[in-house]
Amino acid sequence: MIHNENSRVKIPALVHFTRLGYEYVSLKNYTGVIDEDTNIFVNIFRESINRINKTSLTEKDVKKIIEDIKIILSGDDLGRAFYSLLLSGYRGLKLIDFENENSIENTFQIVTELTYKNGNDEFRPDITVLINGMPLAFFEVKKPNNKDGIQAEYTRINKRFKNKKFKRFVNITQLMVFSNNSEYDDTEVVPLEGAFYAASSYTKLFFSHFREEDDNVFVRIFPIDEQKELEILQDTNLVSIKSSPEYAINIKPVSPTNRIITSLFSFNRIIMFLKYAIAYVEKTDDDGITTLEKHLMRYPQFFATKAIEQRLNSGEKKGIIWHTQGSGKTALAYYNVRYLKDYYQKQGVIAKFYFVVDRLDLLAQAADEFRARGLFVEEVNSKEDFVANIKATATSNNTGRDTITVLNIQKFSEESISQKSAYNVNVQRIYFLDEAHRSYRPTGSFLSNLIASDRNAVMIALTGTPLIGTIYDPKTREPISGKKYDTKDVFGTYIHKYYYNRSIADGYTLKLIREGIATTYRKKLQSALDEIETLKGSISKKEIFAHPKYVKALIEYIAEDFNKSRIAMNDSTIGGMVVCDSSEQARAVFDEMKGTSYSSALILHDEDDTDTRRQYRNDFKKGKIDFLIVYNMLLTGFDAARLKKLYLGRIIKDHSLLQALTRVNRPYEKFRYGYVVDFADIRAEFDKTNKAYFDELQAELGDEFKEYDNIFKTQEEIESDLQLISEKLFLFDTSNAEVFSQQISALEDKFELMEIRHALGLYKELYNVAKLFGYDELANKFDLDNISALYNEVNNRINLINLKQTLQNAEDMSAILNLALDEIDFQFKKVSESELVIADKFRDRLERTRREMQHNLDPKDPEYVTLLEELQRLLSKKNIEELTADEMTANITELDRIRKVANQRNLADQMLAAKYENDPKFMRTHKRLKETPPPLASDPVLHKILLSLKHKIDGRVILNERLLNNEPFFMQNLYPLIKNELVENSVQYTASQVIYIATTISNEYFSERNWAS
């Protein structure tokens, strides 16, 4: 049977499109005209435009429109002008009906293997999506476990879209989907498995995950129309696959490809995406170079937008968007300016939008981001300006673009109020409050002035780390027990939530590794340190940490560590940030850094002016500066992808700690982690913060608790990786590249070669911790001059035998481990490296283990019973709320073990059930008979007997449902059936065995009946 990407993915996807209401267009049978320069189906385009606009355009009229579209599509604007045409129409003619419910006026079609051609260059997407005859989206599919994974299509499409001959096709394409019909592998840095969507680009696409949050979208799937299905199978010459079990599986609506089709291409969804989910981002740097990117809404932004609409529909006008750092909250505000403007316009209301920040640098940053996306930005420079703005109905914008006012919270005053006499009931103000965990205290004037400015305003609080756990006295509004305020008390409940683990899995942020530091002094500095010690009574701790002798040793360590990091990561472009204990220490660190080979900039509120500090930030982002030296500034709101080493010199409190740590979690090149070098030992503070979040998540999120996962790589994971490296390389002579090459050349096992390469690649990321965890032999196993050769030898061997490339192979030459770990001889010596355990990870593992246990199909299985007892013992040791981070970490390991064993048991049971047409009754019967001595028959023979019994018993039950009303009578009917099957299969039996088989089967049927009733 044909068993490739067509039969396994493409054909089922085409059929699934018809379940959503799409029409399949056969290129073999299509008699209309296709414009080869744009791939617009001319006849369909004409019919659709006439139907939508109630016009009677001739073929000549439509060809003139298409000629104009060709000119527009020829620009170097990524299709921005064409997209504007889709939204606003062509000379009064709508190209898409965005207004009617369910898009009944639009024509939705799919076609396969449509040729995109210009001269001798061409390509053919697997599936092209036509809307009103325009090819606005396409699919490229691969079969599961294909060579290179989905990166095969990623590489191919990037190469195609760089070809200027395909510019018109790039510009007309609004959305692309790439799928190998596999579930996402959330451990991958570069996507290899799954179904991803992307916007067009001339340079490099970004693959986005889509995880559905509204299961109602799957309810609206129609049954398969067998006539349409047969038409597709005949047209593609694949009629033979229709009755195959593989096709039956792949045609299901729950397959990864079919799920993303439903999520993105259901009529209402694709129309919403086309109208609101596309953004052109244009930025010009200090050198005058302009870049243009096309962005698509990320799925959390999409569902947050829908959640805001639902909140407003319920009559509420406030709430919190809790999206983790790096998830695009400014972009979310942009999309909602467009969406909510139309939402209120349909109600005859004018919407005015405000983006409120609490720092001047964030004001400039937000304004720049909105302008880059095409909004007209009104900046409020004084309280007087805002008084005028808040009282006005219109804006100063005469450009036709949507408007947003960006202002600082301090600009709100007692005078900035929409007075009743001037209040226009047709105006609705919407405030987006950035970083809502700061500056909005209930007892402060800023918040009261904000609320008083318009008590009818919509207030959407944006935060990545809301303040939690505080209760207020309702009379005094003072925090009880001296606690700080709770974000929910101020802005209401959560509208939408998007957590660390999802952001990491989706590739928007990275996991972190914490490098613990202890202060131990070398002999040559001991005398100097003794001098400092004698001064402890007369100078403060702050002064000690700013002392030149201390700072000198600190910078020696940082400079060496940073140098090793750049070498090990094979990337000289990464940057670092030093978070100092005080502004005095920051100045001392900055002065000392001048004596190294690294450039640095000092960022303090009272050092230099705003423009100079902004220039420093921009220079750092461009790679012109190696280090930023800070105290309080830049710990929040500052994003630079190249910042990969954070040297933490002081303890940071509460939510600010999470904010600071995530400065290094932005994706960059092929990095898997950001690194936090901890001089301050923040574990205790983190435990306290984790406890607060643990309680909040448990109380607020319920079943969603598992969605908030750990942002750090655990100590157990690190040790496991190091153990893996040590074991995989144990037998190899890594001191001699020639001998190593001979050893590698003798290997034929592709999987083994992949593991060796993985071990070498993994070691470069963990080189700094090998000795810390006691892997001295591993650390001494490599010679700096040989590492590159070793990695190359493995790669060459893999390439030679045409091994499937994996993530490590994608890194190829750049993923070489090229640092030998020498004995570290610094005043600050690393003693530990472990993950900072966020409290919810334990809860997540517990929930995942519980669910895996619940998936069990055979509660009487001895292995399952043992696992259940182990889980019960684990949970009975101590109250969950009383566990420390270390205890949680230990329990996580045990929970993972239980879950993995349960998963394997469940998988085996599911496989056996599949042999019985997914009937668990006979899977359990099979197991019980195999467990009971003496053995009745081999597995194949027993399966043949039981499957035949199943069919006969089911047939009798269907004909006579009353059989299950009388168990003794049912048993009497089973005896002859069982005996006949045993005889036909030449199985010797005893009377007791027949009775046992009948009893087991009867118990299963009656248990099922009783459970169902």
Side-chain angles (χ1 to χ4, degrees):
M1 191 194 81
I2 298 173
H3 197 58
N4 56 24
E5 63 193 41
N6 288 333
S7 63
R8 298 179 67 182
V9 190
K10 186 180 77 173
I11 303 306
L14 288 169
V15 174
H16 185 69
F17 264 110
T18 66
R19 282 193 285 214
L20 300 180
Y22 284 73
E23 175 191 358
Y24 176 75
V25 177
S26 167
L27 291 179
K28 295 178 184 177
N29 302 323
Y30 182 68
T31 58
V33 177
I34 302 174
D35 179 76
E36 291 186 356
D37 293 329
T38 61
N39 273 349
I40 293 176
F41 285 53
V42 179
N43 304 69
I44 299 171
F45 181 69
R46 176 188 170 195
E47 293 169 3
S48 301
I49 299 304
N50 280 332
R51 181 176 61 255
I52 292 170
N53 295 282
K54 306 296 188 292
T55 53
S56 301
L57 298 177
T58 65
E59 184 176 337
K60 181 179 179 180
D61 295 331
V62 169
K63 285 185 177 180
K64 175 62 171 64
I65 295 174
I66 293 177
E67 287 301 316
D68 288 346
I69 289 176
K70 286 183 191 178
I71 296 173
I72 292 173
L73 289 174
S74 298
D76 289 317
D77 65 347
L78 267 179
R80 179 161 57 179
F82 174 72
Y83 179 62
S84 178
L85 203 67
L86 286 181
L87 294 182
S88 59
Y90 173 87
R91 298 181 179 179
L93 293 172
K94 297 177 183 178
L95 302 186
I96 296 178
D97 177 18
F98 287 112
E99 308 304 325
N100 284 308
E101 189 77 18
N102 298 321
S103 303
I104 57 175
E105 298 296 337
N106 294 310
T107 304
F108 297 91
Q109 297 164 313
I110 38 129
V111 63
T112 183
E113 303 296 333
L114 175 65
T115 302
Y116 287 56
K117 184 174 183 179
N118 187 345
N120 294 325
D121 294 359
E122 65 177 54
F123 69 96
R124 293 182 300 167
D126 293 309
I127 301 172
T128 299
V129 179
L130 306 174
I131 298 180
N132 298 333
M134 296 178 288
L136 300 184
F138 67 72
F139 276 66
E140 292 285 12
V141 300
K142 288 292 182 184
K143 64 182 180 181
N145 302 312
N146 64 297
K147 182 178 181 293
D148 292 338
I150 206 62
Q151 284 298 301
E153 288 299 339
Y154 178 81
T155 302
R156 186 175 294 113
I157 199 66
N158 279 332
K159 183 177 180 180
R160 287 172 182 165
F161 276 19
K162 289 177 182 177
N163 187 340
K164 293 186 180 297
K165 289 188 176 182
F166 294 140
K167 185 189 301 178
R168 289 195 185 115
F169 300 126
V170 175
N171 290 347
I172 201 172
T173 301
Q174 306 303 310
L175 178 66
M176 294 167 286
V177 173
F178 303 85
S179 173
N180 62 356
N181 211 33
S182 302
E183 299 296 343
Y184 296 126
D185 182 348
D186 292 341
T187 65
E188 296 169 346
V189 177
V190 176
L192 288 177
E193 298 177 280
F196 303 88
Y197 68 108
S200 51
S201 170
Y202 296 145
T203 55
K204 188 176 181 180
L205 271 65
F206 182 84
F207 277 17
S208 294
H209 299 66
F210 197 97
R211 304 180 196 268
E212 183 58 57
E213 295 183 10
D214 181 8
D215 290 340
N216 289 325
V217 73
F218 299 114
V219 175
R220 297 185 285 272
I221 298 174
F222 298 113
I224 291 177
D225 185 317
E226 293 189 3
Q227 185 59 41
K228 293 178 180 178
E229 179 185 30
L230 186 60
E231 177 191 354
I232 292 171
L233 292 170
Q234 288 176 327
D235 191 57
T236 55
N237 299 311
L238 287 172
V239 175
S240 61
I241 72 171
K242 187 176 187 302
S243 60
S244 71
E246 292 84 1
Y247 177 74
I249 292 173
N250 292 324
I251 199 66
K252 292 181 178 180
V254 296
S255 77
T257 303
N258 291 346
R259 288 204 310 268
I260 199 169
I261 290 172
T262 304
S263 292
L264 293 178
F265 290 92
S266 297
F267 290 168
N268 289 344
R269 285 284 179 85
I270 187 59
I271 291 301
M272 180 175 173
F273 258 82
L274 290 175
K275 188 171 185 181
Y276 298 111
I278 296 172
Y280 285 90
V281 184
E282 181 177 338
K283 294 184 179 181
T284 303
D285 64 19
D286 296 337
D287 299 323
I289 299 175
T290 299
T291 58
L292 180 65
E293 296 177 348
K294 186 175 184 179
H295 292 186
L296 290 174
M297 256 190 188
R298 301 172 181 178
Y299 77 88
Q301 295 166 341
F302 176 84
F303 289 113
T305 299
K306 297 298 291 181
I308 290 171
E309 179 183 28
Q310 292 169 6
R311 178 65 58 94
L312 295 175
N313 287 341
S314 72
E316 294 185 55
K317 289 193 171 184
K318 67 177 182 178
I320 304 167
I321 301 290
W322 180 356
H323 283 193
T324 188
Q325 295 91 341
S327 58
K329 291 184 282 294
T330 306
L332 173 64
Y334 161 77
Y335 290 123
N336 274 272
V337 166
R338 296 178 57 198
Y339 191 76
L340 295 179
K341 182 195 74 170
D342 287 356
Y343 172 84
Y344 282 108
Q345 194 172 57
K346 293 174 184 177
Q347 304 172 34
V349 176
I350 298 172
K352 290 189 69 176
F353 297 94
Y354 298 84
F355 194 81
V356 184
V357 300
D358 64 348
R359 294 206 320 249
L360 291 176
D361 58 324
L362 295 181
L363 185 146
Q365 179 178 312
D368 289 344
E369 290 294 327
F370 289 129
R371 289 193 186 97
R373 287 166 171 79
L375 293 185
F376 181 85
V377 178
E378 289 185 333
E379 289 189 50
V380 173
N381 298 314
S382 67
K383 291 183 178 180
E384 291 73 24
D385 287 349
F386 186 55
V387 171
N389 181 292
I390 197 72
K391 292 181 179 180
T393 301
T395 72
S396 59
N397 176 15
N398 57 9
T399 65
R401 291 179 286 158
D402 294 331
T403 302
I404 191 167
T405 300
V406 180
L407 73 158
N408 196 300
I409 183 66
Q410 286 84 3
K411 295 299 184 290
F412 286 84
S413 65
E414 294 180 1
E415 289 76 30
S416 54
I417 299 175
S418 297
Q419 297 177 5
K420 189 172 183 179
S421 59
Y423 191 76
N424 188 330
V425 294
N426 290 323
V427 174
Q428 176 63 66
R429 292 174 179 81
I430 297 100
Y431 293 137
F432 295 101
L433 307 169
D434 191 31
E435 305 292 356
H437 52 276
R438 302 192 308 242
S439 303
Y440 300 100
R441 303 179 184 281
T443 55
S445 62
F446 292 156
L447 180 64
S448 61
N449 289 337
L450 169 68
I451 294 174
S453 67
D454 186 348
R455 296 189 181 277
N456 188 51
V458 172
M459 294 192 181
I460 301 172
L462 307 174
T463 182
T465 50
L467 292 184
I468 54 181
T470 301
I471 302 174
Y472 281 91
D473 186 303
K475 295 181 179 179
T476 65
R477 293 305 298 160
E478 291 295 325
I480 298 174
S481 301
K483 293 184 180 179
K484 299 177 182 178
Y485 71 95
D486 188 322
T487 310
K488 296 200 308 301
D489 286 346
V490 180
F491 298 114
T493 57
Y494 299 117
I495 298 175
H496 191 259
K497 301 170 287 287
Y498 180 65
Y499 310 117
Y500 284 119
N501 74 317
R502 276 286 162 247
S503 181
I504 292 169
D506 293 338
Y508 300 134
T509 55
L510 303 178
K511 268 203 168 190
L512 305 181
I513 286 181
R514 171 186 173 272
E515 300 179 357
I517 305 294
T519 312
T520 56
Y521 302 99
R522 293 181 298 182
K523 280 187 177 181
K524 63 180 182 179
L525 289 179
Q526 192 61 55
S527 59
L529 292 171
D530 287 342
E531 293 178 18
I532 298 176
E533 289 291 328
T534 61
L535 297 174
K536 276 189 175 181
S538 58
I539 66 173
S540 65
K541 180 181 177 183
K542 178 171 67 174
E543 291 175 296
I544 292 175
F545 287 141
H547 194 282
K549 294 185 181 295
Y550 185 93
V551 170
K552 178 179 175 61
L554 179 71
I555 295 306
E556 280 182 5
Y557 178 81
I558 290 175
E560 284 292 333
D561 178 80
F562 192 68
N563 179 57
K564 282 179 174 286
S565 296
R566 280 186 165 182
I567 294 173
M569 297 170 189
N570 200 20
D571 193 331
S572 62
T573 68
I574 64 168
M577 176 184 284
V578 183
V579 181
C580 296
D581 180 72
S582 65
S583 58
E584 289 81 4
Q585 188 193 48
R587 290 185 172 89
V589 165
F590 177 64
D591 290 339
E592 187 65 32
M593 189 69 78
K594 294 176 183 177
T596 71
S597 60
Y598 297 114
S599 59
S600 63
L602 179 63
I603 307 293
L604 298 173
H605 77 280
D606 56 354
E607 190 78 23
D608 299 311
D609 55 32
T610 301
D611 290 338
T612 301
R613 291 195 296 268
R614 181 184 296 114
Q615 186 62 49
Y616 286 152
R617 294 197 301 270
N618 291 338
D619 285 348
F620 180 83
K621 290 180 179 181
K622 295 175 185 177
K624 297 180 180 180
I625 295 174
D626 296 313
F627 279 98
L628 292 175
I629 314 298
V630 305
Y631 171 47
N632 272 332
M633 298 190 74
L634 303 191
L635 299 185
T636 62
F638 175 70
D639 294 331
R642 64 181 286 261
L643 176 54
K644 284 292 156 280
K645 295 282 287 192
L646 181 70
Y647 295 90
L648 201 58
R650 67 182 177 89
I651 291 180
I652 304 173
K653 299 290 185 179
D654 301 326
H655 66 92
S656 297
L657 178 57
L658 291 175
Q659 290 272 350
L661 293 175
T662 53
R663 293 312 95 203
V664 292
N665 75 344
R666 301 308 191 259
Y668 185 65
E669 300 298 335
K670 296 290 198 308
F671 279 79
R672 291 180 176 86
Y673 309 108
Y675 295 84
V676 179
V677 184
D678 180 14
F679 290 91
D681 195 352
I682 58 173
R683 286 174 294 185
E685 177 62 28
F686 216 94
D687 275 346
K688 186 184 77 172
T689 303
N690 287 347
K691 181 62 166 62
Y693 277 86
F694 183 92
D695 293 342
E696 166 76 0
L697 290 164
Q698 188 175 24
E700 176 68 28
L701 308 182
D703 289 341
E704 296 181 34
F705 192 92
K706 66 181 184 303
E707 299 296 335
Y708 190 87
D709 207 349
N710 204 336
I711 62 173
F712 284 86
K713 189 174 179 72
T714 64
Q715 178 174 337
E716 288 72 24
E717 289 169 338
I718 291 171
E719 291 201 50
S720 175
D721 285 345
L722 289 171
Q723 181 64 30
L724 180 149
I725 296 167
S726 182
E727 291 175 356
K728 291 301 176 186
L729 302 179
F730 173 73
L731 293 176
F732 294 93
D733 186 349
T734 55
S735 64
N736 187 310
E738 184 60 36
V739 174
F740 181 81
S741 176
Q742 294 172 1
Q743 293 172 330
I744 291 297
S745 297
L747 294 179
E748 296 292 340
D749 190 328
K750 297 178 181 180
F751 183 73
E752 184 176 359
L753 285 165
M754 287 171 59
E755 288 188 325
I756 293 170
R757 185 182 59 192
H758 174 67
L760 288 168
L762 186 63
Y763 184 67
K764 80 178 178 90
E765 296 162 340
L766 302 177
Y767 80 99
N768 226 8
V769 298
K771 281 186 176 292
L772 306 181
F773 283 85
Y775 287 83
D776 292 342
E777 180 182 353
L778 179 62
N780 295 327
K781 193 176 181 68
F782 298 95
D783 185 280
L784 180 63
D785 297 328
N786 284 340
I787 294 301
S788 177
L790 303 185
Y791 194 94
N792 286 341
E793 285 299 330
V794 179
N795 253 342
N796 290 338
R797 180 60 180 165
I798 290 173
N799 292 334
L800 183 63
I801 60 176
N802 197 27
L803 178 64
K804 170 192 169 183
Q805 302 275 321
T806 61
L807 176 57
Q808 285 70 33
N809 190 56
E811 295 172 349
D812 199 21
M813 298 293 293
S814 66
I816 299 168
L817 175 62
N818 53 6
L819 178 73
L821 183 65
D822 298 318
E823 183 68 28
I824 300 176
D825 182 25
F826 300 109
Q827 180 177 345
F828 296 89
K829 187 178 179 67
K830 295 186 178 182
V831 295
S832 67
E833 179 154 350
S834 64
E835 185 174 13
L836 300 175
V837 179
I838 297 178
D840 68 303
K841 182 172 183 179
F842 173 73
R843 189 70 175 184
D844 173 39
R845 290 297 195 273
L846 178 60
E847 176 64 14
R848 289 169 62 182
T849 304
R850 182 186 66 82
R851 290 193 177 187
E852 189 64 55
M853 297 290 284
Q854 285 183 331
H855 290 160
N856 177 267
L857 297 174
D858 186 11
K860 295 181 180 179
D861 183 281
E863 189 173 24
Y864 172 80
V865 172
T866 300
L867 289 176
L868 188 61
E869 291 173 350
E870 291 177 2
L871 183 60
Q872 291 171 337
R873 283 197 299 270
L874 180 69
L875 298 180
S876 64
K877 291 179 180 178
K878 195 172 185 180
N879 291 332
I880 294 176
E881 294 78 5
E882 298 175 0
L883 294 174
T884 66
D886 287 341
E887 289 170 329
M888 286 185 186
T889 301
N891 285 353
I892 285 170
T893 302
E894 185 64 14
L895 287 171
D896 281 344
R897 185 193 66 79
I898 293 173
R899 178 174 53 82
K900 289 175 182 177
V901 174
N903 175 263
Q904 291 300 305
R905 179 69 269 157
N906 290 342
L907 179 61
D909 286 350
Q910 290 162 10
M911 292 170 66
L912 182 56
K915 302 290 287 184
Y916 291 101
E917 300 170 358
N918 292 312
D919 189 337
K921 299 193 301 298
F922 283 85
M923 176 272 291
R924 291 189 289 267
T925 299
H926 185 118
K927 290 175 65 177
R928 296 296 89 81
L929 296 183
K930 292 294 292 185
E931 293 166 0
T932 305
L936 185 67
S938 65
D939 281 320
V941 173
L942 184 59
H943 168 254
K944 184 178 179 182
I945 293 170
L946 291 179
L947 186 61
S948 179
L949 284 172
K950 167 184 162 53
H951 293 155
K952 292 176 180 178
I953 296 169
D954 286 349
R956 292 195 177 191
V957 170
I958 291 172
L959 293 175
N960 183 9
E961 294 182 3
R962 290 181 297 175
L963 272 176
L964 294 179
N965 292 336
N966 188 325
E967 189 168 5
F969 180 67
F970 181 73
M971 289 272 289
Q972 289 299 321
N973 274 267
L974 291 182
Y975 293 144
L977 291 177
I978 294 170
K979 291 178 181 179
N980 289 339
E981 286 298 328
L982 293 172
V983 170
E984 288 180 11
N985 286 276
S986 303
V987 175
Q988 295 182 351
Y989 62 89
T990 64
S992 61
Q993 285 178 316
V994 172
I995 293 172
Y996 182 71
I997 295 171
T999 302
T1000 304
I1001 293 175
S1002 178
N1003 288 341
E1004 288 290 345
Y1005 271 90
F1006 278 87
S1007 295
E1008 182 180 66
R1009 180 183 176 90
N1010 294 336
W1011 178 84
S1013 61

